[in-house]
Amino acid sequence: MSLRYLYSVLTLTLVCVSCAVTSAASIESRRSILRAVNSDDKKSDFVEYGVDLNATNFDAVLKDTPATFAVVEFFAHWCPACRNYKPHYEKVARLFNGPNGVHPGIIIMTRVDCALKINTKLCDKFSVSHYPMLLWGPPSKFVGVGWEPNQKNSDIRPIKDGRTADLLLNWINKQMGSSYGLDDQKFENEHISSNVSDHTQIARAIYDVEEATSTAFDIILEQKMIKPKTRGSLIKFLQLLVAHHPSRRCRKGAADILLNFDDLHPIDLQPSNKQEDDDGKLTLRNFQICGKDVPRGYWMFCRGSKNDTRGFSCGLWVLLHSLSVRIEDGESQFTFNATCDFIHNFFICEECRQHFYKMCTSVSSPFNKARDFALWLWSAHNKVNERLMKEEASLETGDPKFPKMIWPPNQLCPSCYLGHDQKSNKVEWNQDEVFEFLRSYYGKTLASLYKDKSIDGNYVTNGVVEDLIVSTNAVVVPVGAALAIAVASCAFGALACYWRSQQKSRKPRRTWR
């Protein structure tokens, strides 16, 4: 009897335990589902635009952003006032942050959670005394420094009157002399002012040169334009970029691609091959020619006042001009050939491509001087502008704030003009002055944004600044171009070889499943 009793009790206990476990699992499962549903609902209703920073990425993000100003919000996730303020902050961040921002590349809106232990020292460094606390200033001024409330002559300022989205945006508008509105929609670029008369604005085009380089190579890959007949012209253009691209990280990226090009696209590759790896992805997709954060999805100097104006074509022209003023005399003919072949084989706008190549084929004698090639490219650009001026005037397709014009305008280079017939719009040029203007404008001024830091975010001394402005010197072509590639990329190659050898000898890690 006792055994039966014990057996019954034991059975009942096991059943109860089983039911409890099942019930608990069921409840937890339902809770998980509810959390997932609620999370999805929140995600669909509320999009976050503010950039989350912490002690590990604070300096890197603010050092590398193309934005002119930054707002940093110091908050604590447990603070009710911070949670209530977040929707206001996000309304303003929507206007400025990311490729989908209404006015991208002007202000970067960020936040730091001071309640996380990783950020304790960072928040102390900026004297965070209350939540939320907002600071304003040029992004680079936040890097490697701190801030004190009574600090004199500081470029960082507290935003004391930004309790709502309206107040915050009004404060920003007062600082910038702008008229942004919370209801602004994308491509309503009426706030953009013409940057023709301000020669320093070209410095912001360094980001557009990166954007155009990355976009051009994305188009080449997407359209599968690397064929046996076009392979050589792409290699020549990559050689040119390795030696003379104004962006250091684009030079590095071009060198990485060039070092691996024979493996990625062998010379005997047949047109029928899909140029894809085993996963169906283009193998060159593994290489980001100007770094992992490019393309950014928006333009700075080259942004038009309309959705479909300027942008890529403007950035590409700036790239070509910047290359033309960085080469040596012995590279002038090589650069001419590389440029003409690249546009002819890889520029996808058919009419523009044919028009440019016609100008190339009209050149009867080789270039012996870098000056001659730079002036030819400048003249070719003006011919393109003259043609487009007429077409856009008749069709009303031009950008009203950035109409096509003869370049450079008198405001930028009065010494370039010997005479100007207003009726025929014909200009008598002082070509020596034009060349000096081109060298300054597309050379040192273009790279001047990086006097204090390198393009890939590493601070450099003044003695190394020239590396950002004057690239490696190739003396003879094609031997000179090969030497330039060797000089520019030997360090990258050595590092790549070492990494590969380490990867081959490395045992695969186990993963827990």
Side-chain angles (χ1 to χ4, degrees):
M1 187 73 176
S2 59
L3 287 175
R4 287 183 181 179
Y5 175 77
L6 288 174
Y7 178 77
S8 300
V9 171
L10 181 60
T11 302
L12 182 61
T13 302
L14 290 173
V15 170
C16 291
V17 169
S18 176
C19 289
V21 170
T22 303
S23 177
S26 177
I27 291 170
E28 182 58 33
S29 176
R30 287 196 297 271
R31 286 176 178 169
S32 298
I33 293 170
L34 286 172
R35 280 199 298 267
V37 170
N38 290 336
S39 176
D40 289 342
D41 287 344
K42 288 178 182 177
K43 286 180 181 177
S44 61
D45 293 336
F46 187 75
V47 179
E48 294 190 5
Y49 296 94
V51 178
D52 289 311
L53 301 181
N54 58 52
T56 65
N57 67 357
F58 186 87
D59 283 358
V61 171
L62 292 175
K63 188 189 300 182
D64 195 44
T65 178
T68 306
F69 294 102
V71 177
V72 181
E73 178 200 6
F74 295 94
F75 75 103
H77 62 261
W78 47 258
C79 166
C82 298
R83 290 197 297 269
N84 294 335
Y85 181 67
K86 187 173 183 178
H88 292 277
Y89 192 76
E90 291 294 337
K91 285 181 182 179
V92 180
R94 177 191 75 86
L95 300 175
F96 302 108
N97 278 7
N100 294 319
V102 181
H103 309 291
I106 300 170
I107 301 170
I108 181 171
M109 306 278 294
T110 67
R111 61 165 65 92
V112 176
D113 187 352
C114 294
L116 301 179
K117 288 185 178 180
I118 191 175
N119 296 327
T120 300
K121 291 183 178 179
L122 177 62
C123 295
D124 288 344
K125 191 163 67 171
F126 285 93
S127 306
V128 177
S129 58
H130 60 275
Y131 302 133
M133 187 177 102
L134 275 63
L135 295 180
W136 162 276
S140 61
K141 300 302 180 181
F142 287 89
V143 177
V145 298
W147 176 79
E148 295 288 342
N150 300 320
Q151 187 174 339
K152 294 182 179 179
N153 301 321
S154 175
D155 291 306
I156 299 175
R157 299 178 54 193
I159 300 176
K160 296 180 179 179
D161 194 14
R163 295 185 303 278
T164 66
D166 287 311
L167 289 172
L168 177 57
L169 190 57
N170 287 340
W171 191 95
I172 291 172
N173 281 330
K174 287 179 181 178
Q175 304 307 306
M176 300 187 64
S178 53
S179 56
Y180 302 121
L182 292 174
D183 295 328
D184 289 354
Q185 297 300 316
K186 194 171 184 181
F187 302 126
E188 289 183 358
N189 299 344
E190 66 277 1
H191 303 284
I192 292 180
S193 59
S194 176
N195 45 25
V196 169
S197 59
D198 185 357
H199 73 280
T200 62
Q201 287 296 312
I202 191 65
R204 291 165 64 80
I206 190 70
Y207 296 106
D208 295 340
V209 169
E210 292 180 334
E211 193 80 3
T213 304
S214 182
T215 301
F217 276 83
D218 281 349
I219 292 171
I220 289 171
L221 296 179
E222 288 168 4
Q223 300 295 323
K224 299 181 174 62
M225 301 174 78
I226 307 176
K227 310 292 183 184
K229 290 182 179 179
T230 62
R231 184 180 184 275
S233 62
L234 182 59
I235 290 174
K236 284 194 295 183
F237 198 71
L238 282 168
Q239 291 172 346
L240 187 59
L241 298 185
V242 169
H244 297 298
H245 199 292
S247 162
R248 187 174 183 175
R249 59 182 161 205
C250 293
R251 296 202 299 271
K252 178 187 181 300
D256 288 341
I257 292 174
L258 204 54
L259 285 168
N260 294 275
F261 200 84
D262 282 341
D263 294 333
L264 297 171
H265 287 277
I267 196 168
D268 58 349
L269 184 71
Q270 297 300 315
S272 58
N273 289 59
K274 291 186 177 181
Q275 305 177 24
E276 296 181 352
D277 60 17
D278 294 337
D279 295 327
K281 296 179 181 178
L282 294 167
T283 47
L284 275 175
R285 290 287 184 194
N286 297 326
F287 296 85
Q288 293 166 300
I289 192 166
C290 290
K292 62 183 179 66
D293 297 323
V294 184
R296 299 175 183 87
Y298 55 87
W299 304 93
M300 302 290 292
F301 174 83
C302 286
R303 191 179 188 205
S305 64
K306 296 170 65 175
N307 178 10
D308 54 354
T309 59
R310 306 188 81 208
F312 175 59
S313 59
C314 167
L316 189 59
W317 272 116
V318 176
L319 170 62
L320 297 181
H321 284 299
S322 68
L323 294 172
S324 75
V325 299
R326 284 173 166 76
I327 62 172
E328 302 295 326
D329 287 343
E331 303 168 290
S332 53
Q333 184 61 32
F334 174 85
T335 305
F336 169 74
N337 292 334
T339 301
C340 289
D341 289 346
F342 181 80
I343 297 298
H344 182 62
N345 289 313
F346 299 110
F347 195 63
I348 206 162
C349 172
E350 182 64 21
E351 184 178 353
C352 306
R353 183 177 70 88
Q354 294 292 352
H355 187 263
F356 190 87
Y357 200 68
K358 185 177 180 180
M359 292 189 292
C360 290
T361 55
S362 67
V363 176
S364 56
S365 56
F367 292 99
N368 296 317
K369 298 286 185 181
R371 173 186 182 277
D372 295 338
F373 172 69
L375 288 174
W376 174 85
L377 185 67
W378 158 75
S379 177
H381 194 173
N382 272 337
K383 288 178 181 177
V384 171
N385 280 351
E386 283 187 280
R387 176 174 61 87
L388 293 177
M389 281 166 58
K390 297 174 183 177
E391 293 179 3
E392 291 178 355
S394 62
L395 299 172
E396 298 182 350
T397 55
D399 191 318
K401 290 204 172 181
F402 300 92
K404 295 291 186 295
M405 63 175 62
I406 301 301
W407 189 264
N410 199 298
Q411 307 99 298
L412 278 183
C413 185
S415 61
C416 293
Y417 286 69
L418 294 175
H420 188 187
D421 187 335
Q422 297 291 342
K423 290 184 178 180
S424 63
N425 203 26
K426 297 296 181 183
V427 178
E428 184 182 356
W429 298 100
N430 182 333
Q431 294 201 347
D432 290 333
E433 289 295 320
V434 170
F435 179 59
E436 289 305 314
F437 167 80
L438 294 173
R439 287 180 61 189
S440 174
Y441 192 74
Y442 292 110
K444 291 187 177 182
T445 307
L446 176 62
S448 64
L449 202 60
Y450 296 102
K451 285 182 178 178
D452 298 323
K453 60 179 180 177
S454 72
I455 191 73
D456 53 358
N458 297 320
Y459 278 93
V460 293
T461 62
N462 290 335
V464 188
V465 170
E466 292 302 314
D467 182 51
L468 301 176
I469 301 169
V470 182
S471 53
T472 55
N473 294 322
V475 180
V476 184
V477 177
V479 177
L483 287 173
I485 296 162
V487 173
S489 60
C490 61
F492 306 138
L495 184 62
C497 291
Y498 174 76
W499 183 83
R500 287 174 181 170
S501 65
Q502 292 296 309
Q503 293 298 308
K504 288 180 180 179
S505 60
R506 189 177 174 186
K507 293 181 180 179
R509 291 184 179 179
R510 291 183 177 181
T511 57
W512 292 96
R513 296 184 181 277

